[in-house]
Amino acid sequence: MSRAGLSERVTQGRGATAADVVVRDVRLLDLVTGDLVPTDIALCGDTIVGTYDRYDGREIIEGGGRIAVPGFIDTHCHVESSLVMPQEFERCVLPHGVTSAVCDPHEMANVLGAPAFDFFLASAERMVMDLFVQLSSCVPATALETSGARLDADDLLPYWAHPKVIGLAEFMNFPGVLALDPACTAKLQAFANGHIDGHAPLLSGKDLNGYCAAGIRTEHEATSAEEALEKIRKGMTVLIREGSVSKDLHALAPLLTLATSPFLAFCTDDRNPLDIAEEGHIDFLIRSAIALGVPPLAAYRSASLTAAAAFGLVDRGMIAPGRRADIVLLDHLEECRVSDVIVGGRLVRPELFAECEPVAPIGLASMKAREVSATDFAIAGAAGEHPVIGVIPGKIITQRLSLAVPERDGALVADPAADIAKVAVVARHGRNDNIGRGFVSGFGLQRGAIASSVGHDSHNICVVGVDDADMALAVNRLGAIRGGFVVVEGGAVRAELPLPVAGLMSDRPYEEVHAGLGPLRAAAKALGVTLPEPFLQVAFLPLPVIPHLKISDFGLVDVDRMELVGQ
């Protein structure tokens, strides 16, 4: 900071000169006591310089008695799961009060490698909100799948000095950490002085101690209050997640109190534009937590101050002199009803986004899967008990079921009456022609097929269906539209949403993506699908770092043993 800039902050904070901007007549939520205190808020540039007093300003924003709270921080998200590019993502979430977000671009990185970091950092430099980037630690996530790239410690280190980089993203390979795998330890050593994000579902006891001892400080995979309590007692900050598929807020809300709020923050992980438009973002988590009995002070503290502290963002998280001027004005505290947002000292209006230089999309030719036919989805075998992936609505954890699968002409077939569909993962990165095949229960699918090029984390094509020809058409159609979501029935495409940016994101405005998701859901429902968010549920079937049974392009994966169990 220049001497002149420092002088302006001090003199404006003291009231010796008029502030650049004054947010006049608000009730400030005191994050220490929970009181609502009448005050003005004085801003000098992008910094708060005065609170708990009255100020004169060159520009006035009328608070009108509204409640002022700090800007919300999404502590862990994959922008790719919003299905839009970063500059559209901020148009989606900033009006909901999300002024900062910590993202892990490992979806795009698993497809394109290091150019994903270049794309996200270029976007972050040209955005209104503050988007921070964690460097993806698991590309690929496991050796039991085919990804589009591989990133080692030496590939990540050149990005470490970038001001938008916080540290190392979610370390999903917790078995590798505990086994002291050389590639894992190299990354942990390289980023030992930065933030290292965790990802350790169901890990407990001495194994959890070992994982934390590696310097891993945050965790968003806790799905029960008991699991979360052990993790915060062992020094982690648990990020309470409520995404479009993974919904842990109801289970963890009883743990969030005034006493525990310094150790619990909020994140969305994966949330699509339909849910953002219909429910909200971090504001939805806040109002939902309060409705579940969480004290408002605890909820707002977790959404801002705790979140900032957990990631070393000491310049924000509180409406206080010297902090970044990220302020949310609310019409109602308990309902978290956002009426205006100030980010970096600027009032959020449509013209603010128009000032940003756009970033060109990349990865427009990432779909390299060969054309398939119905015979590619045949599974030889005799009728009887076979392993089946059991989908749990609202969870990315799956069950390992053993169900009776029928046979026809020497091949195992889907059984819609028993809610057993086929599932296949088709490699799409041009490295091989692998197809992993298996069965899944829980979709309710009665006919046709649904397919997605979003398939965490390696993002091969995942298709669920009861008709082999429809499955083949769905896969081939994804290649034709350069990735996205497809619904097929009776040899015809019933609905589709192209996602040509690395096969993960649209290059269109979020309003168009939002409008396209409704017909997709309706088309899937017409096939009998009962899941509220079928496409993201499909996307998590190939995630072999989440228990218990998953599928990759290699075949079925027993995640608990990290072994292939079928094909």
Side-chain angles (χ1 to χ4, degrees):
M1 186 195 311
S2 68
R3 180 177 177 82
L6 177 62
S7 174
E8 285 189 354
R9 288 189 188 181
V10 172
T11 56
Q12 290 184 27
R14 294 183 61 231
T17 59
D20 291 342
V21 177
V22 169
V23 186
R24 188 165 60 190
D25 187 24
V26 299
R27 290 176 291 156
L28 190 157
L29 177 63
D30 184 340
L31 290 188
V32 178
T33 67
D35 295 334
L36 292 175
V37 183
T39 182
D40 294 342
I41 305 171
L43 313 180
C44 176
D46 64 357
T47 302
I48 299 165
V49 294
T51 57
Y52 296 98
D53 217 317
R54 298 299 176 183
Y55 281 88
D56 294 322
R58 300 184 186 96
E59 178 185 342
I60 302 296
I61 298 173
E62 292 292 349
R66 288 177 289 174
I67 299 163
V69 298
F72 309 142
I73 302 173
D74 189 345
T75 54
H76 173 73
C77 70
H78 303 287
V79 171
E80 301 97 317
S81 292
S82 72
L83 308 180
V84 293
M85 296 198 297
Q87 288 174 304
E88 285 299 307
F89 171 76
E90 71 170 349
R91 288 185 58 234
C92 225
V93 304
L94 246 179
H96 292 278
V98 182
T99 54
S100 302
V102 180
C103 81
D104 172 8
H106 79 198
E107 318 301 352
M108 182 179 265
N110 267 284
V111 177
L112 302 177
F117 300 147
D118 299 326
F119 172 75
F120 268 84
L121 290 170
S123 299
E125 290 168 350
R126 294 163 175 81
M127 291 169 66
V128 178
M129 71 181 293
D130 232 357
L131 184 70
F132 293 96
V133 177
Q134 297 270 69
L135 300 175
S136 307
S137 68
C138 296
V139 179
T142 74
L144 297 177
E145 56 193 320
T146 302
S147 69
R150 180 180 185 86
L151 295 175
D152 295 315
D154 289 344
D155 300 308
L156 305 180
L157 281 171
Y159 297 94
W160 186 209
H162 195 286
K164 291 289 187 179
V165 171
I166 292 180
L168 199 59
E170 52 182 333
F171 220 108
M172 296 180 289
N173 189 1
F174 65 84
V177 174
L178 299 178
L180 296 175
D181 173 82
C184 291
T185 56
K187 292 173 184 174
L188 292 169
Q189 287 178 290
F191 290 88
N193 294 325
H195 183 90
I196 304 177
D197 199 17
H199 182 290
L202 305 180
L203 196 65
S204 64
K206 290 183 177 178
D207 281 348
L208 177 59
N209 292 343
Y211 187 71
C212 294
I216 297 166
R217 292 288 172 259
T218 46
E219 159 68 7
H220 61 273
E221 289 294 337
T223 55
S224 71
E226 180 183 16
E227 180 183 357
L229 180 59
E230 181 184 4
K231 286 175 174 174
I232 64 174
R233 280 175 167 168
K234 291 182 175 178
M236 296 186 118
T237 300
V238 165
L239 317 177
I240 300 175
R241 171 178 57 188
E242 189 77 1
S244 289
V245 171
S246 303
K247 299 177 184 294
D248 304 316
L249 181 60
H250 279 67
L252 301 188
L255 185 61
L256 180 50
T257 66
L258 293 177
T260 61
S261 59
F263 311 99
L264 296 164
F266 291 128
C267 77
T268 60
D269 202 356
D270 300 283
R271 197 161 180 83
N272 69 35
L274 204 57
D275 290 341
I276 295 170
E278 293 176 356
E279 297 177 339
H281 203 258
I282 296 297
D283 58 327
F284 173 72
L285 275 73
I286 294 169
R287 78 173 66 94
S288 298
I290 294 170
L292 291 168
V294 172
L297 174 57
Y300 284 99
R301 189 186 280 165
S302 291
S304 52
L305 187 57
T306 301
F311 287 85
L313 302 175
V314 297
D315 65 337
R316 69 199 66 201
M318 197 172 184
I319 298 178
R323 304 291 179 111
R324 179 178 157 92
D326 292 341
I327 301 165
V328 179
L329 298 180
L330 305 174
D331 290 333
H332 196 285
L333 185 70
E334 287 77 10
E335 295 177 6
C336 194
R337 199 184 306 152
V338 177
S339 57
D340 269 315
V341 179
I342 297 166
V343 58
R346 298 181 292 174
L347 190 63
V348 174
R349 291 290 183 263
E351 52 269 24
L352 202 56
F353 302 112
E355 297 171 4
C356 298
E357 179 187 352
V359 177
I362 63 172
L364 298 177
S366 70
M367 298 294 294
K368 301 172 184 176
R370 68 172 176 86
E371 189 167 307
V372 296
S373 65
T375 57
D376 287 309
F377 299 101
I379 303 175
E385 298 278 320
H386 291 274
V388 175
I389 300 170
V391 169
I392 305 171
K395 301 290 182 185
I396 58 176
I397 290 175
T398 54
Q399 297 172 302
R400 177 175 178 166
L401 305 176
S402 182
L403 300 178
V405 179
E407 169 260 335
R408 187 184 306 125
D409 299 327
L412 298 173
V413 295
D415 186 359
D419 191 14
I420 299 174
K422 276 189 176 179
V423 58
V425 174
V426 179
R428 63 105 158 174
H429 300 298
R431 296 174 178 267
N432 56 51
D433 293 331
N434 288 356
I435 301 178
R437 306 167 186 86
F439 292 92
V440 62
S441 178
F443 278 85
L445 194 68
Q446 298 300 301
R447 54 197 167 275
I450 63 175
S452 168
S453 62
V454 179
H456 301 278
D457 280 318
S458 289
H459 298 289
N460 293 298
I461 296 170
C462 188
V463 57
V464 174
V466 298
D467 181 273
D468 291 355
D470 284 346
M471 292 173 73
L473 175 58
V475 170
N476 292 334
R477 184 59 184 165
L478 284 178
I481 64 174
R482 299 189 293 177
F485 303 136
V486 175
V487 179
V488 170
E489 180 190 9
V493 175
R494 302 299 182 188
E496 64 185 27
L497 178 67
L499 301 174
V501 183
L504 302 173
M505 294 178 283
S506 175
D507 56 355
R508 307 301 300 159
Y510 83 84
E511 292 90 348
E512 292 185 25
V513 178
H514 174 219
L517 285 171
L520 269 172
R521 281 186 177 178
K525 187 176 180 180
L527 301 186
V529 173
T530 55
L531 294 169
E533 186 45 76
F535 292 94
L536 279 182
Q537 203 90 53
V538 168
F540 284 108
L541 294 178
L543 183 55
V545 294
I546 297 290
H548 296 280
L549 186 63
K550 292 291 194 289
I551 186 169
S552 76
D553 62 304
F554 288 14
L556 288 174
V557 179
D558 182 331
V559 180
D560 300 320
R561 290 188 262 192
M562 292 306 290
E563 295 175 353
L564 294 172
V565 296
Q567 192 170 357

